[in-house]
Structures are given as structure tokens and as C-alpha cells.
Amino acid sequence: QALGGCAEMVIARAVVRDLFDDKQAAKVFSSLMLVMGLAPILAPLVGGFLAVHVEWRAIFWLISLAGMATLVTTTFLFRESLPVERRVRHSPREILSTYLLLLRSPTYMLHAMTVSISLAGLFAYVGGSPYVFQKIFHISEAHFAFFFGPIAAGLIGMSQVNGAIAGKFDIRSILRSVLMIQAVAGAILLTNAMTGFGGFWGIYVPLWFVIASMGFVFPNTTVLAMSPHARIAGSASAVLGFLQFGVSAIGGLVVSSLQNAQTIPTALPMAGSIAVCSALALGINLMTHSGPTPADPCEEAEGSLLAAEH
């Protein structure tokens, strides 16, 4: 399942980079956010519903059906996006060299770590919100979706707003402005969790802004990370996916560990993790160039590597 999921995620992003320029890619990635961003939010709701109202085996039947549907649609509807003259076969050694080039690229790594740390904040929310909503504010499982849903809708809505404005404004400016909003909302969330100000709504409202802002962060950072690396789009997408889920796994682990260590239920583990992720993402973005992307020394090395392979 992991192998199939990784292939789908990596190839989908590489196809977008093959077919679209930066402005168009930002719009397309915003549409992909409908699936890529919502999946980790909605999956627990669907799985929980099936486990309670059907049985736990139904979860695996649903996964099997989704896999079959993906196989069928890919077989009959998916077309190769990379022209024959641009295809290069890589040996394992060459693949490793390409990965090392990407990891040494300052521009790529700054944007990749910005989105990875933001995703860690999303996973902190997914892992921490059931505990906070149900244990602290006593929201029943039946009503949990009523509060979980609007936050998911915010992520959807903002990703579509991003797609609408991506061609009209510089995506670097959009990204930096949104990361500032996210960091402020994260700080308010942590402050309210520490002081108890606003009760449930003091947690919920800034949380909505943090998660909704990711509808801008994910597509724009993905475009900025991958756009200079069109010749190795597949490898760039693969490293980006590895960093995203590697870092986000740490975020989920931290929240779970901190919650389990609490003797009195508190929202601090979730709020603190989200606030730290939001602040770090902004801090890393401030290290990037706000204007046109400067020349990256690793791009010349990419060209030399591909020329040698040809």
C-alpha cells in the first residue's frame, strides 16, 4: 500500500511539472489539494464511521476498491506526460547522485522544508484534535464531524482561492503573506491553550486559520521547490515526498507522546506543536529569496549530469 501510494503521489506531481509552467502549475496543484490535502483529514472520519457502523473489515474493502479504481482509470485514461526525447534512464548510482544534488540545492531544500514542516503541523492537528475536542471539550463522536468538517472545508476553499489568484500575483509573495498569518494564528492558538482564553472557540478559531492557510502553502511551496528542476521532476517529487512524510511523522509522534505523558487533559501538546511548526515554516521561508529565483549552483550540476548520461 505504501509503495502504491508513493508512486501515485510522486508521479502526479512530476506530471504537473512536465505539462505546466509555474503559474499554471500553482493552479493545478491547488486542484490537487482537494485530494492530497484532504486525504489525511477525511480518512480518519471515513474509517471511524465504517468501524462503528459496519465493521473494521469494511475499511480494507474500501481500500481495495479504491486501489482497483485507480488501476482501471490509470490504465485507460492516463497518458505519458514526458516526451521520448526528454526521457533518461538512470542507474541506481545516478539516481543516488541526483538525490544528493537536490539535497545540496539551497533553494529546493528551503521550499521543501517549509512545506514539510507545515505538513507536520497538519498531522499534529489530525493526531491531536480528537483528544482535544473529545477529552477536554467533551464533544461526542457523533458531533465530532460537525467541527472537523468546517476545518476541512477551509483547507479546500483556500486551495481554490489560491488557484484563482496564482496567475494574478507572485506566488512567493502569496506564500510569505500566508505563512505570516499562519504563524500569528499558531501563536494565538498556543496562548489561548495556555491561558484557557475563549474556551473551545479560543482553540477552534485560530486552529481554523492555521489549517486553512495550508491550502496556500502546499501548492505554492511545491511549485517553488520543483520549478527549477524540470529535467529531474520525478526525482524532485520523490525527495519532496520523502521529506514531507518523514518530517510529518515526527510531528504526529511528538503530539502523541506529549499527550500520553499528560496527567490532566490539556490542549498544549497539539497547540504547541502547531505553533512551533508554523513559526519554523515562516522562519525557513524568510531565508528564501523573495524575488525571482536566483541561480542555483546545483542546476548546472544537474545539466552536466544529464548531458553525461545522454
Side-chain angles (χ1 to χ4, degrees):
Q1 288 176 1
L3 181 61
C6 288
E8 292 162 357
M9 180 180 66
V10 168
I11 292 172
R13 285 194 295 229
V15 167
V16 174
R17 189 61 195 88
D18 287 342
L19 299 178
F20 302 98
D21 61 25
D22 286 2
K23 290 183 178 180
Q24 292 175 314
K27 294 182 179 181
V28 177
F29 277 124
S30 294
S31 298
L32 287 181
M33 275 297 300
L34 288 174
V35 178
M36 297 171 67
L38 279 179
I41 293 180
L42 296 183
L45 291 177
V46 176
F49 176 85
L50 291 175
V52 172
H53 297 284
V54 187
E55 64 167 351
W56 63 268
R57 294 175 182 84
I59 296 172
F60 295 97
W61 283 110
L62 179 60
I63 292 174
S64 299
L65 290 174
M68 289 300 299
T70 303
L71 176 61
V72 170
T73 55
T74 301
T75 300
F76 293 102
L77 301 179
F78 191 74
R79 295 293 179 267
E80 176 58 58
S81 61
L82 190 66
V84 175
E85 62 272 14
R86 288 175 55 196
R87 300 177 197 174
V88 178
R89 291 187 178 275
H90 298 279
S91 68
R93 183 176 180 179
E94 290 164 346
I95 292 172
L96 180 60
S97 297
T98 302
Y99 288 164
L100 292 175
L101 281 173
L102 289 167
L103 293 173
R104 293 202 306 266
S105 168
T107 302
Y108 177 85
M109 285 302 297
L110 287 172
H111 290 305
M113 290 307 297
T114 298
V115 66
S116 298
I117 291 174
S118 289
L119 188 63
L122 175 62
F123 272 66
Y125 158 70
V126 172
S129 58
Y131 177 89
V132 172
F133 288 8
Q134 296 175 15
K135 296 289 186 181
I136 299 175
F137 297 108
H138 308 293
I139 294 174
S140 67
E141 292 183 6
H143 294 107
F144 180 71
F146 293 129
F147 297 97
F148 209 71
I151 293 180
L155 180 61
I156 295 176
M158 293 305 103
S159 67
Q160 301 315 294
V161 171
N162 182 73
I165 67 175
K168 302 175 183 178
F169 301 94
D170 179 57
I171 61 175
R172 295 173 184 82
S173 300
I174 295 173
L175 176 61
R176 183 158 297 179
S177 299
V178 170
L179 284 170
M180 290 179 179
I181 295 173
Q182 185 183 84
V184 171
I188 295 173
L189 173 65
L190 178 58
T191 300
N192 292 347
M194 294 174 63
T195 62
F197 178 78
F200 172 75
W201 296 107
I203 298 294
Y204 189 83
V205 173
L207 190 59
W208 187 94
F209 278 96
V210 170
I211 303 304
S213 67
M214 294 178 186
F216 293 93
V217 175
F218 293 161
N220 290 337
T221 48
T222 301
V223 171
L224 291 171
M226 294 185 59
S227 60
H229 305 284
R231 291 170 293 188
I232 52 171
S235 297
S237 179
V239 174
L240 184 61
F242 173 81
L243 292 172
Q244 283 179 334
F245 284 92
V247 173
S248 62
I250 296 173
L253 179 63
V254 168
V255 172
S256 298
S257 300
L258 292 176
Q259 284 179 346
N260 292 335
Q262 299 294 321
T263 55
I264 300 175
T266 173
L268 282 176
M270 181 192 74
S273 298
I274 292 174
V276 168
C277 289
S278 299
L280 283 176
L282 174 61
I284 293 173
N285 177 261
L286 291 174
M287 298 169 63
T288 63
H289 195 268
S290 58
T293 304
D296 191 324
C298 290
E299 291 180 49
E300 183 178 348
E302 289 174 20
S304 300
L305 176 64
L306 291 176
E309 291 170 3
H310 282 296

